[in-house]
Amino acid sequence: MKNFFMILLTIFLPFCLVLLTFLILFGIRRVFQQTLETTTSFQNISVIIPFKNEQENISDLLNALNKLDYPSDKYEVVFVDDNSSDDSMKLLHQNLMNNYKVVLSSDKKYPGKKGAIDIGIKNSKFDIIAITDADCEPELNWLKSISNKIVDGNEVVFGYSPLKKENSLISKISSFENFRNYILYFSSVGLGIPYSATSRSIAFRKEVYYRLNGYSRTLETLSGDDDLFIREAVKQKLKIGTFINENSFVYSKASKSFKEYFNRKSRHLKTSHHYILKHKMMLAFWHSVNIFSLYSIVLIPFSNLLLFPFFIKIILDIVTAQTVQTKLTSDFSWYEILYLQPVYETFLIVNFIGSVIRKDKWK
């Protein structure tokens, strides 16, 4: 019986790994095939940026926004201050452009960041809403890509938001994790089963926001203004698209410390407890196969055959990351992938536990 069980593991795990990896690459290939049109339809867009105590990031954000390749009369930027206690407001008022404005987050309908975004939307004048964060830096074609994807008939769209990888270990870990998460985000759209995105680069029509009753159906957690919003869009069978075009990424800073990293991840993973059941089952199966394959190596004393799923996983991890990152302008070397992938999957377990025991808060 023991030998049968071991042989089953050595066949079942590699088979699942190969099949799932093929589906992931197939899905993301379909997304990569969606290229930017040669002509751009410059739709009117309101960019909503909620912030709280972001004085160290405001200058970089404004510098990026000022470089956007988009007619200034075709977009506005609505900054929403959620009771900042630093010099964020002062810096903004000193550098406001004609199409920028700041509103205060008072009498919020929803708690946390959702309430600030809601106030921004209510104070916006255009039909298309684009959202990013105050610690982000959109590239010059960001709004062009949003405009094109919305005109193509998509009701909700999201783009790629890489984290800036620095030399520190935590920066590499958080950047790689973000990269791997986006592989799943994009491939799920390509396979027709979207389940998540991030609010660092997401857009929709205002009519869609009100059709979904704003964030009123996403109040299970303080976070979830992105992935739970996607959940509600999926429930209503809305068309969800992605854009990964040249110069359309939205860069953000990686975690500076392990404490910041674990706080971020526990907050994000807390929303995953409220995903649609089929999405939870899909993710649980994907991660379980990978984690069991990774840790099958500890069972080698029982059978050398368990080296097989471990090595198959390592090879597929490197191939997948190296294949995808050429399109996402990432630069993880094969040896970085070799150690960051196990760390990523181990931290999935740690962060999932953290999401259960940590309290949810914004800032």
Side-chain angles (χ1 to χ4, degrees), residues 92-133:
L92 276 176
H93 283 297
Q94 288 175 345
N95 296 279
L96 286 182
M97 306 291 284
N98 290 334
N99 56 332
Y100 296 2
K101 65 180 178 182
V102 182
V103 297
L104 300 179
S105 180
S106 57
D107 298 322
K108 292 192 296 185
K109 181 177 180 181
Y110 309 115
K113 184 179 175 183
K114 294 173 188 172
I117 294 174
D118 180 69
I119 286 175
I121 292 174
K122 290 177 179 176
N123 283 273
S124 64
K125 64 181 181 180
F126 294 137
D127 176 54
I128 297 175
I129 302 296
I131 298 173
T132 190
D133 290 337

Side-chain angles (χ1 to χ4, degrees), residues 272-289:
S272 68
H273 301 300
H274 306 286
Y275 284 0
I276 296 172
L277 179 59
K278 66 177 181 180
H279 293 160
K280 289 195 284 189
M281 293 176 64
M282 173 185 74
L283 291 170
F285 184 61
W286 163 256
H287 290 306
S288 295
V289 168

